[in-house]
Amino acid sequence: MKTRALLVAAALVAFTGSAALAESIQHGNLTIKDAWTRATPPKAKGGGAFVTITNNGSEDARLTGAVSNYAKRTEIHEMAVNDGVMKMRKLDEGVVIPAGETLELKPGSYHVMFMGLNQPFKMGEELNVTLEFEKAGPVDVTFPVMKMGAKSGKMHH
Amino acid sequence: MNVAKTIRYGAWAAVAVLVAAVSAVTVMKFVQDDVPQAATVQIGGPFELVDGKGQVFTDKNLNGKPTLMFFGFTYCPDVCPTTLSDMQGWIENLGPKADDLNFVFVSVDPERDTPDVIADYVAAFDTRVVPLTGSVDQVKKVVKDYRVYARKVPLDDGDYTMDHTAAVYMLNGDLDFVGTISYQEPEETALPKIRKLLGS
Ligand SMILES: [Cu+2]
C-alpha cells in the first residue's frame, strides 16, 4: 500500500515536473518506462540500451529477449564492475522481475545489448526495439538516443 | 544465478591480482630505498604500440609527462564510452593544464580494434586522447606489464566479448604506476587525484 502511494506520488511529481520524460507503456501487468540509449562513436560495434520495468502483477515476470534491426544481435546482458574488472555476459535465461518489484536496466548493470551495430546511433534519434517477455509476450519500446557517454536518460541542458 | 557466481569468482581473482599488484608497488618503493637493483614485480614500463594512424607509438612519445591510461575495446557498450566521456570532462575541467598530461586509450582487442577503428572511436570523445592498439603480441605484452586484467570470452556463435580492467591508470613521468581512478569515480575525487599527479 505504502509503495503504491509512493508510486502515485512519484508519478505525479514526474508528470508535473518534466514534460521531457518518455511515456510509460502498460503491457499486461508490466509498466515500462524511462527507455533510453546513448549515441555511439563512429565505427563502434557495441551499444547498450536501458529501461525501467515494474511488475504490478502477483506473479514473477521474465524479460527473455530483445529484437531490433540495428545490429547483428540484440540480447539481454548483465554487466558488472567488481574490484576494477568489467565483465559482461549474455543472460540466456533472461532476467526476472519479481512480483511487485521494479527492475532497472541501467549503466553498469542489466542492459539491452546491441552487438555488431549496422551503423552508429545518433543523438536525437529514436530506436525501436521489441522487448520479449515470457508471459506477457512482445512489446515495442521507443528508446531516445542521448549524447555519447550519457549516464542517464535525463535530458541535459 | 550462475552469471553472478561466475562474476563473483572472477572478481575475487581480480582482487587477488590487484592486491598483489598494489603490494608489489609498495614493496618496490620500499626496496628501492635500500637496494635499487632488487628484482621486483613492477607495474607499467616501456611499451611499443601503434597509434590511430598506424604509426609506431612508444612510451617515449609520452615525453616524460604524467599519463592517464585506460584499457578497453570498442565493442564495449558501457564502461569504455563512459570512461572516455569522463576523460573528456577532466580535460575540459583542467583547461590549459590538460596539456601537461597524456590521455591514452589502449585497446585490449587489437584484432577488431584496428588503428582506423580505434582512431575514430576515441576522436568522437576528444582528440586529445591518444588511441593505441597494436599487434596481438604487442598488446599482450602491455597488458601483462601493466597488470591489466583482459580476457576474451567466447560467445555461442564464434564472436567474443572482453572482460577487462575498468580503472584508469595514473602513471607519473617515469611511467611508474601511482594509482588508479575507478570506474565512474565522481569528479570531486578524480580531479584532485589528477591535479596531484600533475604536481608530482
Ligand atoms: Cu552487454
Side-chain angles (χ1 to χ4, degrees), chain A residues 56-70:
Chain A
N56 308 298
S58 52
E59 257 182 289
D60 291 356
R62 190 187 287 270
L63 172 64
T64 52
V67 181
S68 85
N69 297 323
Y70 304 106

Side-chain angles (χ1 to χ4, degrees), chain B residues 37-132:
Chain B
Q37 72 274 36
T40 44
V41 186
Q42 205 188 330
I43 299 182
F47 61 82
E48 183 176 317
L49 290 163
V50 170
D51 69 12
K53 290 184 188 114
Q55 257 137 31
V56 175
F57 189 104
T58 75
D59 50 289
K60 303 263 188 305
N61 293 90
L62 300 176
N63 294 324
K65 288 192 243 173
T67 298
L68 294 178
M69 193 179 262
F70 184 73
F71 297 83
F73 70 125
T74 68
Y75 260 74
C76 185
D78 201 350
V79 171
C80 302
T82 307
T83 303
L84 278 168
S85 100
D86 283 351
M87 263 193 186
Q88 200 275 329
W90 302 336
I91 292 172
E92 219 159 79
N93 235 298
L94 290 168
K97 279 204 135 200
D99 295 341
D100 300 334
L101 275 174
N102 298 298
F103 300 85
V104 178
F105 184 95
V106 182
S107 173
V108 294
D109 185 9
E111 284 162 80
R112 292 187 296 201
D113 292 340
T114 56
D116 181 45
V117 167
I118 193 165
D120 277 6
Y121 186 88
V122 172
F125 292 91
D126 202 302
T127 50
R128 288 166 286 186
V129 180
V130 179
L132 295 181

Side-chain angles (χ1 to χ4, degrees), chain A residues 47-48 76-79 88-89 111-115, chain B residues 77 161:
Chain A
I76 307 298
H77 276 203
E78 180 180 19
M79 196 204 97
M88 179 170 77
R89 297 290 180 270
H111 54 275
V112 177
M113 176 80 191
F114 306 97
M115 298 201 73
Chain B
T161 181

